[in-house]
Amino acid sequence: MNPATRSPLTWAVHLSVLLLVALWTLPTAGLLISSLRDKDQLAVSGWWTALSTSTQNIVARAPGADTQVERDGKFVISGDVLEGTSAGEVSAFGFSSQKPTAFKPGETAELNDGEKLTVQADGSFEIVSDTKMEGSRGQRIFFTAAVPPRFTFDNYVEVLSAEGIGASFINSLTVAIPSTIIPILIAAFAAYALAWMPFPGRAILIAVVVGLLVVPLQMSLIPLLKLYNGVGAFFGVPAKTYVGIWLAHTGFGLPLAIYLLRNYMAGLPREIMESARVDGASDFDIFVKIILPLSFPALASFAIFQFLWTWNDLLVAIVFLGAGQDELVLTGRLVNLLGSRGGNWEILTASAFITIVVPLIVFFSLQRYLVRGLLAGSVKGG
Amino acid sequence: ADLKFKPGEDSKFNWASFEEFKKGHDLKGQTLTIFGPWRGEDEALFKSVYAYFVEATGVELKYSSSENYEQQIVIDTQAGSPSDISILPQPGLIGDLASKGYLTPLGDDTQKWLLDNYAAGQSWVDLSTYKGKDGNAALYAFPYKIDVKSLVWYSPENFEDAGYEVPKTMEELKALTEKIAADGQKPWCIGLGSGGATGWPATDWVEDMMLRTQPADVYDKWVKNEIPFNDPAVVGAIDEFGWFAKNDKFVDGGAAAVASSDFRDSPKGLFASPPKCYLHHQASFIPSFFPEGTVIGEDADFFYMPPYDSKKDLGNPVLGAGTLAMITKDTPAARAFIEFLKTPIAHEVWMAQTSFLTPYKSVNVDAYGNPPLKKQGEILLNATTFRFDGSDLMPGKIGAGAFWTGMVDFVGGKSASDVADSVQKAWDAIK
Amino acid sequence: MQQLVFAVGTMVAGVLGCAAYFWGTSFILDLIFPSKGRSGVEASRNLRITNAIRPWLFLAPALFALTIYLIYPVIMSVWFSLHDRAGQNFVGASNYVWMLNDGEFRQSIFNNFLWLLVVPALATFFGLVIAALTDRIWWGNIAKTLIFMPMAISFVGAAVIWKFIYDYRAEGTEQIGLLNAIVVAFGGDPQAWITLPFWNNFFLMAILVWIQTGFAMVILSAALRGIPEETVEAAVIDGANGWQIFFKIMVPQIWGTIAVVWTTITILVLKVFDIVLAMTNGQWQSQVLANLMFDWMFRGGGDFGRGAAIAVVIMVLVIPIMIWNIRNAAKEMKGH
Amino acid sequence: MTGLTLKDIRKSYGAVDVIHGINLDIKQGEFVVFVGPSGCGKSTLLRMIAGLEEITGGDMFIDGERVNDVPPSKRGIAMVFQSYALYPHMTVYDNMAFGMRIAKETKEEIDRRVRAAADILQLTKYLDRLPKALSGGQRQRVAIGRAICRDPKVFLFDEPLSNLDAALRVATRIEIAKLNEQMADTTMIYVTHDQVEAMTLADRIVVLSAGHIEQVGPPLELYERPANLFVARFIGSPAMNVIPATITATGPQTTVKLSGGKSVTLDIATNASENGKTASFGVRPEDLQTASGEDFLFEGTVAIVEALGEVTLLYIEGLVEKEPIIAKIPGILPVHRGEKVRFTADKNKLHLFDAGGKSYRV
Amino acid sequence: MTGLTLKDIRKSYGAVDVIHGINLDIKQGEFVVFVGPSGCGKSTLLRMIAGLEEITGGDMFIDGERVNDVPPSKRGIAMVFQSYALYPHMTVYDNMAFGMRIAKETKEEIDRRVRAAADILQLTKYLDRLPKALSGGQRQRVAIGRAICRDPKVFLFDEPLSNLDAALRVATRIEIAKLNEQMADTTMIYVTHDQVEAMTLADRIVVLSAGHIEQVGPPLELYERPANLFVARFIGSPAMNVIPATITATGPQTTVKLSGGKSVTLDIATNASENGKTASFGVRPEDLQTASGEDFLFEGTVAIVEALGEVTLLYIEGLVEKEPIIAKIPGILPVHRGEKVRFTADKNKLHLFDAGGKSYRV
Ligand SMILES: Nc1ncnc2c1ncn2[C@@H]1O[C@H](COP(=O)(O)OP(=O)(O)OP(=O)(O)O)[C@@H](O)[C@H]1O
Ligand SMILES: Nc1ncnc2c1ncn2[C@@H]1O[C@H](COP(=O)(O)OP(=O)(O)OP(=O)(O)O)[C@@H](O)[C@H]1O
Ligand SMILES: [Mg+2]
Ligand SMILES: [Mg+2]
């Protein structure tokens, strides 16, 4: 163990990590909690209050006049203001938006037209009138109640039950998986050539790859689409195809892939390659049987980055694949759920979490390679 | 496809037009791609309409949309891979596409059809006519689905509780505003936030104010930049908006909240207990963002954004918006779809649901799905002047850029003339 | 179901096709120039030929893709930047002249420099600190996973998340933004954070730092583990305390990795626009180059000339980093 | 009491006991070498002395002060690691000055001490170099210099020479020996695998095995009078030849019957009670001589001849199962594979161990 | 002509010449060891034989066939690397089978050969393990096994034992010696730093220095009759003591005056023309004996005594500047620091080299 571990400041280390982790997870936690909240509450109270009982001003509406019953010569409309809410206890009520908390539970409020409203602490209420009441809309009842935390999966249900979400899920996978594997494959071969095969111009090529790391993606969209259309028209195939987007993701991901993989492969012990060569292996054999298995950590880490990127991507998908029903990717589908004018927070929150799930699975399953992968690792003697 | 209303069943629909269209078109084996601005619920509504087109023609129809449809259409047309039909709510952008030669003229037939069949036909034709790449003006777009923007939303019961009356003139509206403020309450909820499009709700305000302070032709010149953006007329209209939005006492949250509140959240203040505000200026689509269960006409209602009593000569101007369909790739199916839009049934199906207004004279107004829609139809009908949303008519860089940012700066404290100057500067830069 | 079959089919076909290329070309090469089973001069001649050709076979798909997807667009961009908005008429340097006189562009450059100064530094710093701290505690891996999580979140998701942090409600009403809730709890006035000119840059940067720290952490933690433990122990014996060990012994030893992380994030900062687009779209003086470029390229009909000119500026800004990187790569080559 | 005292020192990693109670007194200025097979706990013990590992049980005193809970830097120790552990980003000068800078010494004092140490180790002209520009031997000298600069009471070395090649190892070993002389008051504790280092450097050698001490003593004592079979075979290279035997006669001299059948009489006293017990007879390869007459110890067939010039190694088969008997004869011997050779040895260089491995020699 | 022939082999990296024309004939079945100081080109030469480095100039023949352009796998060679270079992701079995699988041998043949090799090297029970689950010695045996499976004509070793610890090194060295016997027809070329390995394994040793051959010959010949000062000092440990001298008398015997002032007569013939020239007088530490009488070679003060038990090393100062003279005396010597000791040596074990370093002995 590290000797510094034993310093009396260990607790400080724990505390600072805890603090940092809290800082980093807090936003996501907020999202998670928000996604489980009632959608009307989302926009009116902070997510952190969702965990505590809150006092809320609520507007309820009594049933219409058609539900009145005649009792002791009086007309009565009764009901429960708490029905359909999770609120616990009424602490005040009123009948006018001007004075929503004018009365205590159990008190009787005199409505403007002579009707009398009583709301009990348990939420039951009665409107009593001497005359028959009229009007199709019921009386508004304002009340203040303590609302315990309430969570719902409605938001998730809504997102998951949306039409085409399953298909989009598959579309996303169809885009993301080859878009992750193909560049890895291509980059791995290229990286091997750049790391271990002597040929003229190798240094220049490496420099070019590094240079291309920085080309902004947005500016290549139009020239590429034009090219795609040209090619598509020439072969009589649509311009927007899965192959097209795979290649696009491949192109955009290649510089980083080659860069990472070459660095890693160059760090592999030369003797292993040489002994394979002595054993009669060709470059292809060496690559497939020695380099690929040994580079697995690096491949895995790049796979994580590339998968995260392609899975979360919307721009490239929409431009190169289109936004039709049978090609819309998950991110696109979820954004579309927001409606033309956007902004359904409850859908955003739930869908953000749904999109996270797959990358997290990928991350967890490849995580243990990640740390090793980025080391310019040595397999010495092993 | 599933048809929302079974052909022939409900007599308020013009089924004859459907049958007739069905007879004249057979597109089996063909594909039609449509790119539109509608997503979510709106997409479902549009789908219920085009289902009839699919049913009638047997075409395979692919609809797609994008959150950033303005960018998407540019990318697609520029790259040469647009859908057959594109539907956009921004005439300015359409003009741009037309000038680059990406649109197919719809021809004189359609122009004549619009003149004949749309109320105030000429204004629709004007709206849909743009200069092409060759410099010649032609009809490039077909208006379909209109929104009314000059609406003020309120809660009738809250008005009742507080004893407020619906104002009939702008003077009354201002008096009401002051009265509410004097009562210690906040009259308005204004939110300009809209992510990347933050600022646009304010442009509607300014346009409404333009139409209420200036004659329609000044509005038209403004939109075409024939008078500069920093013309006193425009600065005046901006200041009129500022009278409401830049007064801490008049707006929920104070002026500072205006720019950053999301436009989707801000109407919720109408329904809070106690109310955070009493008035909200927004187009006809806003009920989608009201709390669940809100009944329009009962829990919430709207009134026409009134004109100035002092400027009676300007009449009852109405600001509106809408979407226009274009042929971005000339195919028989695309042509047929434009023809389809000319059938009453293409309008009535949507009318019978929600948030659809149409100037098509031959449709059965009884088909409107609910009273508020009908009431909006009436406002449209009573209009003495109808003008399309100015920011949508301006070049994209202004109407969907500098104007928005300018408005954000304006509520953020800049003066109206400074803002107008900077927008004009931006306009000069793209000339 | 059908789609599933199609999806799996295309996936398998795509990946197999790619593998088939490498295997196939290799096979054909060996077929044309056989060395196995041949002897002497012919074998060695064939071997020399195949050895000269094979690197290029291995590189070909990568070079092809790089050329098409990156080099060609770069050239096109330069070409576009010298043409008018529709890319039809040559206009010389006028797009660049316009750019220099454009206030928004200057604003963007300024903001971009702020971003370049702050984001890579903070992300690297936090990544380093977290990597160092988590290496010492038993629940370090859990902590790392949690901190890495933001990397798995799409920008749409990130924008929502931060909306719940920065949201602003009027004074006196309940704040649903965490930051304002805290400020109010401490008796301050709520602020519309992302509308505060200049400062809003930092609130946007916080988001990218939040996302990228995970990346920095993962790589730096690998590097930290590569530090020989004995040097740390030697420093302990020399009497250095935790801070001194960290800053004087550990950090200098992984300086190379720190530089790589720094560069990678710097490049990302130059390219990033999603956050700005989603949060402010460049309003309230928070514009950055990448978003400005996107704006000019695609919004309102698009002006290719100006958009491309901005893209070229972004690339030019990157050149120093590129040269530095190439130098490094060259140095590394020599070490081989 | 000066120097270093270990009292029943124990160490466990979780449930695994690695050090099982070590008692050891080291005098000030003494040079003590820890040897033992790999994994026996040498490094662990050294690192506990340094304070780099916590002490699970027992007490440790440096200069009479209990240091169990004193941090490494306060124990007055310095340590040289097998892998040098130089700070790769600092020059030689800075490497040596680091500890003093941390301790906030004055610039002059730092400079004085660094230069003095560099002088001793002939590093003066490399002071401005980075470690990577030095050869292995130079690096190790820097590591030693860094330790010297700390002016320690106890100097710890963990296999400092094992990463060096043969020639350098010899040269550096001699330098350490000189250093030991120059720093007469400094206690030195040295861990090594290398016989020669242990024998040449140590005042006393501590032989460890599986976490406890097998024997402590001056090198020659261990060589000449190993307390048990383990030490006997561990010290000396090639290892002592061991032949199973049965005790046939006891008394002031002991006679044993070797497994080959021959009887040998040794100058070792045994009790009568030992008679008939099995024992192990041991003789070092270098103590064997070829015999021409009939007076020989044993006879065997040469399996391998290794002529090193200065000595010849003979591997003799047929005496003990599996393992050959090795003889190390000075000079070049005209012997060939397959020849039968007879060997004899000095009587008082023969060893006898009981069944438990304990030496019969007192 | 079977075996391996190097004809004026040269190697340059860019402008740097590393190998300057090596001529060497190696007979089939011979065991040749390359030794030389670090960086002299041993590995480079070996790798050129293996085909892993291109040959810049000259011709190389294996079994009479020119192999300059033949790829490694076609040369009938096998190589064992210092770092083992096992395939870390393959089991021991797969490591050994890899080459045969590439060559598309049948399953049975592969199995047969792997098991045979594993048997020889006692690896049978580890066949299913991954390399990381093996100890260093086992790993090196796997590497050797892998090479054996190739059934090579020429077996190349590049410092195969230098990553192992002392005991393992001895054991594995013996295994290689056995292997050499079992594969009598296989030529073996072995690079090492280690004296003992070179002396014990080699049929012939090739001493390299800075890219050319200093001397080739059987180990004892190199030890007894080094052709020059370089070889003399390189072979033997500790190195031969060299004392500057002046030739004072020539003839069938030569007399030199050592720098200390004493004259010595050697059994070496010199021409009269050499008289008066400066020369180097050499004597190996192990050839020195303490002298009690007046008939001594030289006298000096003991600076350091290193008692190793079996031998004692004495470092004598005051004879040559800087470097001490070393004497290696068998057994334990009762000598202490500061004492004056006289040494003598066998006359025919003295060496004399001319100013250019060439030996006067023919
Ligand atoms: N952190 C640890 N956790 C568990 N066991 C450990 C740990 N460190 C060392 N050990 C065990 O303690 C024992 C002693 O290790 P130590 O390093 O002291 O041996 P050593 O005698 O120095 O060996 P070598 O000569 O190979 O350096 C070994 O068996 C080792 O496996
Ligand atoms: N790729 C190369 N480029 C330039 N010089 C090289 C290269 N490889 C080796 N050398 C030089 O060639 C010389 C011989 O190297 P080689 O590895 O053969 O030495 P060696 O005798 O095996 O040394 P060691 O005993 O340390 O292994 C050295 O001086 C080395 O610096
Ligand atoms: Mg150890
Ligand atoms: Mg070498």
Side-chain angles (χ1 to χ4, degrees), chain A residues 1-5 13-14 16-18 20-21 24-28 31 34 42-49 167 170-171 173-174 177-178 181-182 185-186 189-190 192-194 196-197 199-200 202 205-207 209-216 218-220 222-224 226-228 242 244 246-248 251-252 254-255 258-259 262-263 266 283-285 305 308 312 326 335 345 348-349 352 356 359-360 363-364 367 370-371 374-375, chain C residues 3-4 6-7 10-11 14-15 18-19 22-23 26 36 51 54-56 58-59 61-63 65-66 68-74 76-77 80 126 129-130 133-134 136-139 141 143 145-154 156-157 160-165 169 174-178 181 209-210 213 215 218-219 221-222 225 229 232-233 236 260 267 271 273 293-294 297-298 304 311 314-315 318 322 325-326 329 332-333 336:
Chain A
M1 278 308 292
N2 195 317
T5 322
V13 172
H14 280 275
S16 13
V17 176
L18 205 64
L20 285 164
V21 168
W24 253 256
T25 36
L26 209 63
T28 326
L31 182 76
S34 297
L42 258 181
V44 293
S45 64
W47 55 265
W48 54 94
T49 62
I170 294 170
N171 291 343
L173 284 178
T174 314
I177 293 176
I181 296 175
I182 295 176
L185 212 57
I186 292 182
F189 274 96
Y192 173 66
L194 290 176
W196 287 109
M197 297 168 91
F199 61 89
R202 190 164 75 148
L205 271 183
I206 293 172
V209 168
V210 172
L212 288 176
L213 275 172
V214 300
V215 176
Q218 296 87 357
M219 73 181 212
S220 36
I222 301 233
L224 284 178
K226 278 190 170 159
L227 196 73
Y228 272 33
Y242 278 108
W246 295 340
L247 293 180
F252 299 140
L254 265 185
I258 297 178
Y259 183 63
R262 194 205 78 91
N263 276 357
D283 275 308
F284 189 78
D285 290 326
F305 289 128
L308 288 181
N312 285 329
D326 37 358
V335 166
W345 298 118
L348 270 173
T349 51
I356 286 180
L360 279 190
F363 174 66
F364 278 119
Q367 182 204 29
L370 197 71
V371 168
L374 293 156
L375 267 180
Chain C
Q3 167 149 25
L4 199 70
F6 170 75
T10 42
M11 267 189 287
V15 174
C18 189
F22 287 108
W23 188 82
S26 225
K36 278 181 191 167
N51 278 348
R54 208 185 303 271
W56 299 104
F58 279 19
L59 279 169
L63 292 183
L66 288 175
I68 300 275
Y69 288 92
L70 296 166
I71 295 173
Y72 165 70
V74 168
M76 286 302 282
S77 294
F80 271 134
F126 279 121
V129 168
I130 291 168
L133 292 181
T134 50
R136 306 185 180 184
I137 53 178
W138 57 266
W139 52 285
N141 267 340
T145 306
L146 286 173
I147 285 170
F148 186 84
M149 202 154 66
M151 280 215 69
I153 295 174
S154 64
V156 183
V160 188
I161 287 174
W162 287 84
K163 141 108 189 163
F164 283 106
I165 305 287
R169 293 293 155 100
E174 188 180 355
Q175 297 295 337
I176 74 162
L178 185 61
V209 171
W210 178 70
T213 297
F215 170 78
V218 164
I219 295 184
S221 130
R225 288 196 186 164
E229 193 139 296
V232 175
E233 291 180 343
V236 168
V260 168
I267 288 168
K271 293 207 274 186
F273 84 113
M293 175 195 94
F294 190 78
M297 260 205 178
F298 302 121
F304 274 67
I314 294 179
M315 284 189 289
V318 155
M322 218 155 94
N325 247 319
I326 290 171
E332 206 183 302
M333 286 292 292
H336 240 275

Side-chain angles (χ1 to χ4, degrees), chain A residues 213-218, chain C residues 108-124 155 201 204-213 215 260-277 286-293 310 313-315 317-318 321:
Chain A
L213 275 172
V214 300
V215 176
L217 163 70
Q218 296 87 357
Chain C
S108 306
I109 287 269
F110 174 77
N111 288 344
N112 252 107
F113 273 107
L114 274 186
W115 279 72
L116 287 178
L117 284 180
V118 175
V119 176
L122 282 187
T124 311
F155 281 109
N201 282 308
L204 299 187
M205 290 176 206
I207 303 176
L208 194 59
V209 171
W210 178 70
I211 292 175
Q212 287 302 319
T213 297
F215 170 78
V260 168
V261 170
W262 195 295
T263 333
T264 314
I265 299 180
T266 301
I267 288 168
L268 191 98
V269 164
L270 279 174
K271 293 207 274 186
V272 84
F273 84 113
D274 314 56
I275 289 175
V276 177
L277 178 74
S286 65
Q287 189 66 286
V288 294
L289 286 176
N291 190 51
L292 186 69
M293 175 195 94
I310 297 167
V313 167
I314 294 179
M315 284 189 289
L317 279 183
V318 155
I321 302 168

Side-chain angles (χ1 to χ4, degrees), chain D residues 173-174 181 196 199-200 220 223-224 237 286 304 306-310 313 315 328 332 337, chain E residues 173-174 181 196 199-200 220 223-224 237 286 304 306-310 313 315 328 332 337:
Chain D
R173 187 181 82 211
I174 294 171
E181 267 172 39
V196 178
M199 298 297 286
T200 55
L220 291 181
Y223 178 80
E224 292 176 334
S237 166
E286 56 269 29
I304 303 174
E306 291 186 344
L308 305 181
E310 112 195 58
L313 294 179
Y315 294 76
K328 192 174 187 180
I332 298 161
R337 236 194 110 187
Chain E
R173 186 182 80 210
I174 293 172
E181 267 172 40
V196 179
M199 298 297 286
T200 56
L220 291 181
Y223 178 79
E224 292 175 336
S237 167
E286 57 268 31
I304 303 175
E306 290 186 346
L308 304 182
E310 117 196 52
L313 294 180
Y315 293 77
K328 192 175 187 179
I332 297 160
R337 236 195 111 189

Side-chain angles (χ1 to χ4, degrees), chain B residues 56 143 299 335 377 410 421:
Chain B
D299 299 330
R335 293 268 172 192
F410 175 62
D421 285 347

